[in-house]
Amino acid sequence: MDLPNIETYLRPKNLQTINNWDKDWAWLAGGTWLFSEPQPQLRVLVDMQFLDWSEIKIQEENLLIGATCPLIKILQYSWQSEWTAIAGLKSAISVLAASLKVINMATVGGNLCLALSVGTLAPIMIALGAKYEIWNLQGEARLVAAEDFQIGSRQTILQPSEVLRRVLIPIETLKWRVNYQRFGIAATDPALAIVVSAYNPENLQFKCVIGASVPAPKLLDCHHININYSPFLKNIEFINNPKASATYRREITQTLIKRSLHQLQLTNTHA
Ligand SMILES: Cc1cc2nc3c(=O)[nH]c(=O)nc-3n(C[C@H](O)[C@H](O)[C@H](O)COP(=O)(O)OP(=O)(O)OC[C@H]3O[C@@H](n4cnc5c(N)ncnc54)[C@H](O)[C@@H]3O)c2cc1C
């Protein structure tokens, strides 16, 4: 949709040319969200397209994915076959397949920074032990663990004018087995619950992250695949709204964890 209140559109080639950032400015990545509803609070859009931040590459111990990497690139990229966790990453993106337009245009950074409670990438980034590199306009960088980035629905720790530059995923965790589970009333409905489980068969290390049923994705404090996970859900405050009650979301989350564990163990048995 048109955003008639936008007065200025910038297309910087680097951050140093951006001055006087104000509260009515916003980064523009794929624009799939920004142009999907009125944004009366905004006057200036800063298009990230020319920053050239869409890389996928290996650097030292990490896979780097640039913030403006379109989601479709992750589906189509020629990944190393031993990186079993990529299947989970692809699943997280494929669930958006209801809207091809979104997958083609939307970016990794846009999905993470939008920070919807139903956000599809955040839970898997947490399960993979990802870190996010955040830049300010002076070009200074800081690293934040994925689990500390989103602090609520539509809330991140980004300060005004800060930008997510890229995601760093340890190569080691790319060799883990990852299972992505999502439940919505219909395939095109927003998720009511997401569960991502990640398992390292070499040392039995295990991680389980829940999303969509809670305002921000949450890493459960259980580290073994055979543990009884129910107590970990008891003290969590699940979203309670007209779409689904907290009790229902907790139950669905438990069911998805069970399914996820089952599939990971099956995969492991057949390995
Ligand atoms: C019809 C529809 C259905 C959708 N369903 C789902 C769903 O089920 N699950 C899901 O996860 N998502 C869903 N989305 C959201 C979709 O994934 C987002 O539109 C998309 O991820 C945003 O990416 P973008 O690159 O287009 O971001 P934009 O629309 O360009 O930006 C989104 C927000 O992030 C900010 N931003 C973008 N990049 C950065 C950055 N690098 N640093 C700092 N801030 C940044 C922008 O300023 C803006 O506030 C849906 C969207 C639509 C339109």
Side-chain angles (χ1 to χ4, degrees):
M1 66 158 50
D2 286 343
L3 299 179
N5 45 297
I6 298 299
E7 294 165 358
T8 308
Y9 167 75
L10 302 174
R11 287 194 305 184
K13 288 195 175 142
N14 58 63
L15 295 190
Q16 286 68 38
T17 56
I18 304 172
N19 300 308
N20 306 321
W21 187 282
D22 214 339
K23 58 182 185 320
D24 53 7
W25 291 40
W27 297 104
L28 168 63
T32 56
W33 179 264
L34 281 174
F35 289 107
S36 72
E37 57 178 44
Q39 309 287 348
Q41 76 287 7
L42 296 182
R43 298 278 172 276
V44 180
L45 288 181
V46 183
D47 195 332
M48 303 172 69
Q49 197 185 341
F50 292 92
L51 294 171
D52 198 18
W53 287 356
S54 63
E55 77 276 16
I56 295 181
K57 66 177 188 188
I58 299 171
Q59 188 173 292
E60 296 165 2
E61 310 289 293
N62 293 299
L63 169 72
L64 307 187
I65 305 180
T68 58
C69 174
L71 300 182
I72 189 81
K73 187 167 167 184
I74 289 179
L75 290 185
Q76 295 174 343
Y77 196 76
S78 177
W79 298 102
Q80 299 188 23
S81 56
E82 69 265 29
W83 291 358
T84 40
I86 293 293
L89 193 55
K90 286 184 174 180
S91 299
I93 293 170
S94 300
V95 296
L96 293 174
S99 174
L100 257 188
K101 197 166 143 195
V102 170
I103 291 194
N104 278 316
M105 299 294 298
T107 63
V108 169
N111 191 269
L112 295 172
C113 294
L114 184 59
L116 297 177
S117 58
V118 297
T120 194
L121 287 184
I124 193 158
M125 292 303 179
I126 295 173
L128 293 176
K131 288 197 166 63
Y132 300 159
E133 190 175 309
I134 295 169
W135 283 13
N136 64 19
L137 293 182
Q138 289 72 49
E140 295 160 335
R142 63 184 176 122
L143 277 182
V144 173
E147 63 192 272
D148 297 329
F149 182 74
Q150 185 175 344
I151 51 176
S153 174
R154 305 287 324 268
Q155 279 181 291
T156 70
I157 50 108
L158 283 179
Q159 299 299 309
S161 89
E162 277 190 329
V163 64
L164 175 61
R165 167 62 187 92
R166 63 186 145 214
V167 173
L168 291 75
I169 305 176
I171 302 278
E172 217 28 61
T173 55
L174 289 174
K175 297 175 190 158
W176 289 31
R177 299 181 193 284
V178 172
N179 184 265
Y180 183 97
Q181 297 283 331
R182 173 193 193 271
F183 177 81
I185 301 295
T188 50
D189 278 359
L192 293 180
I194 292 172
V195 167
V196 179
S197 301
Y199 176 56
N200 181 355
E202 282 182 12
N203 62 6
L204 308 188
Q205 208 184 337
F206 172 67
K207 287 188 191 178
C208 183
V209 182
I210 63 172
S213 55
V214 284
K218 196 167 175 50
L219 177 64
L220 298 186
D221 192 21
C222 51
H223 307 286
H224 198 280
I225 199 160
N226 292 323
I227 205 158
N228 174 12
Y229 48 84
S230 301
F232 294 99
L233 300 181
K234 277 216 175 95
N235 297 326
I236 292 176
E237 210 165 301
F238 285 84
I239 297 173
N240 192 22
N241 65 15
K243 285 190 179 143
S245 69
T247 311
Y248 184 73
R249 288 176 194 266
R250 181 179 286 111
E251 289 297 318
I252 292 292
T253 300
Q254 283 202 30
T255 304
L256 294 188
I257 294 176
K258 262 188 216 162
R259 270 190 208 163
S260 188
L261 290 179
H262 184 65
Q263 293 193 7
L264 279 175
Q265 281 169 329
L266 270 185
T267 314
N268 194 30
T269 307
H270 293 299

